[in-house]
Amino acid sequence: MKSNGRIWFPAGVLVSLGLGWFGFPAMLYRAEPQPVAFSHKAHTGQKGGMKCEDCHALREDGSFSGIPGIEKCAGCHASAIGSTAAEKRLVDEYVSQNREIPWLVYARQPENVWFSHAAHIKLGKLTCEQCHGEHGKTDTLRPYEEDRISGYSRDVRGNPGGKKMKTCEDCHGRCGVGQQGCLDCHK
Amino acid sequence: MKVGRRDLFKFAAGSVAGLAITPVPWKLLEDTALWSQNWSWIPRPPRGEIGTKFTACTLCPAGCAVRARCVGGQPVALAGVAEHPATRGVLCALGLAGHHLPYHPLRVRQALRGGRPVGLDTAAAEIAAALVEMRRSGSKNLVAVLDERPGRTASWLYRRWLADMPQGRYVTPPEREGATLAALAELIEGDAGPLGLDLERVRTILSFGAPVLDGWSTPGRVLRRRERFQIVQVETRYSRTAALADQWVPIRPGTEAAFALALAHVLIEERLYDEAAARRAGDFAAYRKVAGEFPPERVAGLSGVAAEQVIQTARLVAGRRPAIAVGGGDPGGGPLGREEEMAIGGLNLLLGGLERDGGIVRRRAVPAPKELEAGAAPVTEIQDLPNGSVGLLFIDASAAVDALPWRLVEQKLASGKALVVSLAAYRAGYAGHADYLIPAPMYLESLQDVPAPADAAEASFSLSTALVAPPQGVVEPVEFVGRVTGNAGTLSDWIKRRAAAVYRTGRGTVTTYTTGKVEPLAEVGSAEKFWNALTEGACWQDERVGGRAAPGVALLGRHGDGAARLRRAAAGRLDAGEAPAGQYPLVLAPFGWRGATGNTALSPVMSKVYQESGLRRAGNQAAVHPATGAACGLTDGCRGVIETQCGSCGVAVFFDPAVMPGVIQVAVGPEPPRTRSVLEVCDLEGGCSWRAARARIWKV
């Protein structure tokens, strides 16, 4: 039987679309679990009662402290408080050995991007949720996805809602911060 | 179902068409670009704790205090220190990007012999053997160290060691920013000691081409007081200082001495000079006679400045005292010349600026350890060395700032058998001419001391501490020279001894950067505490020397030939040369910026903040007036060749209506590879200046 020649072109298009939109992203990003199963909810909810800035504070000089070091964790978890396997691992592998947890930071920007938390929190009066959403209320940490080619986090260069340059530009436009020069962010 | 070749092509075409409306090509394009940001060899600071460290910039003699923002101990951003008493938080473009320089592509990481790698120990052994052979053969050739940053502890070590060698000479480049003060010291009777400029109280600065507002003196000192003094800029080039000055006096190249004498003539004729100063001058009558030979009308013909403007300038300067006149020349274009500086020094004396607030003041020298001061070799400027006399030359180019033509160095070497050892951090400047290139640590890679700059009003001392580990194989220049000459010594130990010598003075104050606290040195407690304060971020500043009776002066110098030398210089430098004006109708005037004249490396980063052309012209870029260019058959943007009596070099030509007609301004800077520097074709004018030469230019 001779094939119907008209189906081959659309078939090629459909295969490409399928691979391009679904197969390619799945192949491009490598998912990696966080080293410790941390629950923001357990710390910030009614049980923990902590605020974002209790761990992610601005230093005296205005710079952002980022993710707290193991010393901060050890303040409460010098020994296990509960009975979860995650906490046991935290205590055994990191706190008791005074070893920093190699967190995989979703929003870590490339070296050529200069971002000031202080300017956005103090001058822009932004809340943590406006950029980080409900991250502070999540019960688990989703896997970190790394672009196999560029090496950057998917949150920075991949996801539509990620911390991309367009996100910054749009927000600055909405907030009327004004025309930005390249060197405002790229030092 | 049978699939034909045509079907496969259709499928492939459909796949390609479909792919174009998927993220694949666009994401791959973007990711490939981003991938290039993360190549393993690209230096990047480690993640880590953010902190602040203090140091001092050694890229030029100003020694500005530096606050370094460090991540994981690695400096990632530099800024000035507002608490520093002199620099007041100011840092120039060069200094702001100073932490990039250790990673420059021209960085030398291993010793080179004739351009090929050689072990450091082998190089040291070979140079030491050459030195032994010189001694054994009874050679009269000199062993010299050319120190491009005199005054450091390393400089004292060189001087001490060379003093023990019968053929040893300690050599410096021609005096530049301190030239006016050095010339003034020659006009003062007795031991003048170090002199300084009281920029804090001055009301008028008469500048003969000094880049007062563009990296001169200590920029923080100048900018802090800018609103309180006026600047009259006497200069051929419409430089940034000329553009920002209160008055720009465009002058023909090489006529500064005539202009200074014309000002002196007006001051004397209109009795605008300081009569007390004139009474102290034993040769005032002779000086008056020399100045009388250069009335404004005559000088108008020489310098191109209208007689009326000469008169107005003299009245302006005399009417806004205290005033100082400064020369020093250009970092790229060379020093002014001793006669010009003598004429400028004479103006300072006529204006009554000596020993006066807002004028020229005495200061003390920064103490050095007694073991080094006692019996140190005298300082010889390179032009004063006999030609063909040096058999072994060490060039400490680790702290190079201003340009020095290789020809000036080369003519001092013994023909055919001299050995040149360059100790530098970069494969630039003299490195291409040296037999051995020894890698030296870069700024921020080793402990250095920062004594007061040449024009400071009081002595000061601070430390440039190491914030970055140097590459393996790098050696401190002075320690290498010590090893080769059989003198053991560690620079950091000697710097500590010098700090102890400063402490023993018990004078002055210590400013701590972290707190801004200023306390008397005597209350610091001990030399060890003083040292700790310096290493953590502090500086010592001496007291001002109290007023003394102004000494006797000789306006024409103390050597008896001042009048004749002044007359010759004022008659015109270019006319005194051998180049025929008919063959070379134009004047070549090189220029440059402090710390950016070719013997060191520059970071490209500041060009992202400002247009590169706004910061500096690249090396061998020539600017000419459009009319001059048209007359020479040039076009804007063309390539050209400049020829003088000393040779020729290629340049890129740009038209600039701000350039004086008949003049070719050529930037001195890091030249493109395999390019002959314009300095190599400049006339050395008796061996100490190269700022103007007769030339011609044509298009290629």
Side-chain angles (χ1 to χ4, degrees):
Chain A
M1 188 175 81
K2 196 177 176 186
S3 71
N4 183 348
R6 278 179 293 183
I7 68 163
W8 289 106
F9 185 85
V13 171
L14 283 174
V15 169
S16 282
L17 288 177
L19 286 174
W21 284 101
F22 301 104
F24 176 69
M27 283 192 303
L28 182 63
Y29 295 103
R30 178 177 58 227
E32 208 171 320
Q34 293 287 356
V36 172
F38 178 82
S39 169
H40 276 99
K41 190 177 170 185
H43 289 80
T44 59
Q46 285 187 339
K47 193 175 163 191
M50 295 171 78
K51 293 176 186 166
C52 301
E53 55 269 27
D54 287 340
C55 292
H56 308 288
L58 292 179
R59 297 189 185 93
E60 275 183 22
D61 65 357
S63 61
F64 183 59
S65 64
I67 295 175
I70 196 67
E71 204 177 318
K72 181 81 179 172
C73 304
C76 298
H77 297 278
S79 58
I81 300 171
S83 57
T84 62
E87 192 193 8
K88 185 172 185 312
R89 185 155 178 248
L90 167 74
V91 174
D92 292 348
E93 293 186 18
Y94 297 103
V95 176
S96 59
Q97 295 181 34
N98 196 28
R99 196 158 68 91
E100 292 296 334
I101 305 171
W103 294 111
L104 300 162
V105 184
Y106 303 115
R108 175 157 290 163
Q109 296 290 327
E111 298 289 350
N112 58 14
V113 178
W114 189 85
F115 175 83
S116 166
H117 275 90
H120 290 81
I121 296 167
K122 290 188 171 175
L123 297 176
K125 309 281 184 205
L126 295 186
T127 61
C128 303
E129 289 78 10
Q130 281 176 273
C131 295
H132 296 284
E134 298 298 307
H135 188 62
K137 294 176 183 169
T138 54
D139 202 20
T140 56
L141 293 177
R142 59 191 163 85
Y144 173 84
E145 291 179 280
E146 184 190 273
D147 186 317
R148 291 177 196 271
I149 300 173
S150 70
Y152 290 132
S153 163
R154 187 171 190 173
D155 283 42
V156 173
R157 301 294 314 182
N159 286 340
K163 311 296 174 290
K164 301 170 74 171
M165 194 169 95
K166 184 82 168 63
T167 319
C168 304
E169 288 173 346
D170 290 348
C171 189
H172 276 229
R174 279 198 307 276
C175 299
V177 179
Q179 196 76 27
Q180 298 294 301
C182 303
L183 287 162
D184 287 325
C185 303
H186 297 286
K187 302 291 183 188
Chain B
M1 186 171 72
K2 190 179 176 186
V3 181
R5 196 165 62 97
R6 185 179 292 262
D7 297 332
L8 285 178
F9 277 125
K10 282 181 181 175
F11 183 81
S15 301
V16 171
L19 210 59
I21 49 175
T22 68
V24 174
W26 323 112
K27 187 66 183 163
L28 283 178
L29 199 65
E30 183 192 34
D31 277 12
T32 310
L34 294 172
W35 171 63
S36 68
Q37 295 176 356
N38 290 318
W39 285 337
S40 59
W41 50 264
I42 295 175
R44 56 172 56 81
R47 298 279 175 183
E49 187 63 28
I50 296 171
T52 301
K53 292 181 183 174
F54 294 97
T55 186
C57 184
T58 57
L59 296 172
C60 85
C64 299
V66 174
R67 179 192 306 269
R69 184 171 185 261
C70 299
V71 177
Q74 176 90 13
V76 296
L78 304 185
V81 178
E83 291 78 11
H84 190 275
T87 62
R88 296 287 173 189
V90 172
L91 207 56
C92 70
L94 190 65
L96 285 169
H99 58 304
H100 303 152
L101 298 179
Y103 311 102
H104 196 279
L106 289 177
R107 187 69 203 275
V108 188
R109 294 173 190 279
Q110 58 183 325
L112 302 174
R113 178 183 53 203
R116 292 170 185 270
V118 62
L120 192 64
D121 293 338
T122 309
E126 289 175 0
I127 298 163
L131 184 61
V132 169
E133 176 58 25
M134 269 180 73
R135 287 172 178 159
R136 193 193 60 75
S137 64
S139 168
K140 299 284 183 199
N141 288 336
L142 304 176
V143 176
V145 173
L146 173 58
D147 181 5
E148 298 211 43
R149 182 78 61 80
R152 303 168 296 157
T153 299
S155 312
W156 281 104
L157 278 167
Y158 288 133
R159 292 178 63 182
R160 185 66 201 85
W161 292 344
L162 289 164
D164 291 338
M165 301 166 68
Q167 306 296 97
R169 294 289 184 280
Y170 173 77
V171 184
T172 63
E175 188 68 69
R176 203 75 62 101
E177 288 192 10
T180 302
L181 297 173
L184 255 172
E186 287 291 310
L187 304 183
I188 297 172
E189 289 173 4
D191 181 17
L195 299 173
L197 301 175
D198 185 5
L199 296 177
E200 283 68 27
R201 296 183 184 87
V202 71
R203 291 186 68 213
T204 309
I205 296 179
L206 174 63
S207 160
F208 287 81
V212 176
L213 298 176
D214 195 16
W216 175 81
S217 178
T218 305
R221 275 184 84 199
V222 178
L223 297 177
R224 186 174 163 224
R225 312 296 296 185
R226 173 64 188 100
E227 290 179 0
R228 305 207 181 172
F229 60 74
Q230 286 198 3
I231 298 177
V232 179
Q233 184 73 2
V234 182
E235 188 176 12
T236 304
R237 187 165 67 94
Y238 188 60
S239 62
R240 280 204 287 273
T241 298
L244 296 168
D246 298 283
Q247 188 183 331
W248 174 42
V249 182
I251 185 174
R252 283 190 192 132
T255 59
E256 289 86 353
F259 189 81
L261 285 176
L263 292 181
H265 176 92
V266 176
L267 292 175
I268 293 169
E269 288 302 306
E270 299 193 4
R271 298 190 74 79
L272 298 173
Y273 62 93
D274 185 273
E275 295 197 5
R279 279 196 296 274
R280 288 197 303 276
D283 58 353
F284 182 70
Y287 180 81
R288 182 175 192 158
K289 192 178 170 198
V290 175
E293 295 169 21
F294 292 90
E297 295 73 21
R298 181 186 172 197
V299 171
L302 289 168
S303 67
V305 181
E308 188 56 30
Q309 192 174 5
V310 178
I311 295 166
Q312 291 301 330
T313 304
R315 287 174 182 165
L316 169 75
V317 175
R320 276 187 60 86
R321 293 189 221 183
I324 54 174
V326 293
D330 182 274
L336 275 184
R338 286 172 175 161
E339 290 73 25
E340 280 80 356
E341 295 293 359
M342 186 201 295
I344 294 167
L347 276 181
N348 277 306
L349 296 176
L350 280 185
L351 290 166
L354 187 62
E355 293 285 3
R356 177 178 176 172
D357 288 347
I360 317 292
V361 293
R362 288 177 195 264
R363 67 177 166 93
R364 299 181 189 92
V366 182
K370 283 197 169 54
E371 305 93 302
L372 299 183
E373 281 185 327
V379 179
T380 307
E381 290 192 10
I382 189 164
Q383 67 273 17
D384 297 330
L385 273 182
N387 285 350
S389 62
V390 178
L392 175 56
L393 177 65
F394 295 97
I395 305 176
D396 184 347
S398 61
V401 177
D402 295 330
L404 189 63
W406 170 248
R407 282 180 49 237
L408 181 53
V409 179
E410 191 180 29
Q411 67 188 19
K412 306 299 174 187
L413 301 176
S415 60
K417 49 191 173 180
L419 193 64
V420 178
V421 182
S422 177
L423 302 118
Y426 300 105
R427 214 172 302 157
Y430 312 124
H433 304 282
D435 299 293
Y436 289 89
L437 178 57
I438 306 299
M442 181 50 208
Y443 162 52
L444 297 179
E445 286 183 343
S446 70
L447 178 72
Q448 301 287 336
D449 60 329
V450 181
D455 57 359
E458 58 277 299
S460 65
F461 187 76
S462 60
L463 295 180
S464 176
T465 50
L467 303 184
V468 182
Q472 276 198 329
V474 161
V475 61
E476 192 64 55
V478 71
E479 290 174 11
F480 182 83
V481 173
R483 180 178 166 185
V484 168
T485 55
N487 292 285
T490 306
L491 179 62
S492 54
D493 291 345
W494 283 104
I495 292 175
K496 193 168 183 180
R497 287 197 208 184
R498 191 176 198 188
V502 171
Y503 178 76
R504 280 195 294 275
T505 64
R507 292 190 312 264
T509 54
V510 178
T511 305
T512 307
Y513 302 152
T514 46
T515 59
K517 184 181 166 191
V518 182
E519 63 178 328
L521 177 64
E523 294 177 13
V524 170
S526 68
E528 194 63 29
K529 285 182 182 171
F530 177 54
W531 173 257
N532 290 339
L534 290 175
T535 53
E536 285 164 21
C539 74
W540 169 75
Q541 194 170 35
D542 197 3
E543 296 163 354
R544 286 258 171 127
V545 177
R548 289 195 224 164
V553 296
L555 289 160
L556 294 171
R558 292 178 289 170
H559 303 298
D561 60 347
R565 285 167 54 205
L566 260 186
R567 282 192 185 100
R568 274 200 303 276
R573 287 280 187 192
L574 290 168
D575 294 333
E578 293 173 359
Q583 188 181 347
Y584 299 105
L586 306 177
V587 177
L588 167 63
F591 69 96
W593 289 272
R594 184 157 78 172
T597 52
N599 282 333
T600 184
L602 301 174
S603 167
V605 168
M606 291 312 292
S607 64
K608 290 186 180 177
V609 182
Y610 306 104
Q611 280 189 329
E612 176 88 347
S613 55
L615 265 184
R616 61 179 177 85
R617 287 267 185 211
N620 281 31
Q621 287 194 346
V624 295
H625 191 276
T628 307
C632 297
L634 304 171
T635 53
D636 191 16
C638 74
R639 298 286 311 171
V641 171
I642 292 177
E643 186 190 83
T644 68
Q645 276 210 318
C646 304
S648 61
C649 71
V651 291
V653 179
F654 293 89
F655 284 2
D656 184 348
V659 177
M660 184 178 282
V663 173
I664 315 168
Q665 292 174 357
V666 185
V668 176
E671 295 89 18
R674 295 179 293 280
T675 303
R676 190 180 192 197
S677 167
V678 69
L679 291 183
E680 302 311 321
V681 304
C682 290
D683 187 356
L684 295 178
E685 269 185 44
C688 71
S689 185
W690 50 91
R691 70 188 192 282
R694 290 209 182 278
R696 64 190 181 113
I697 185 170
W698 65 89
K699 185 178 174 181
V700 290

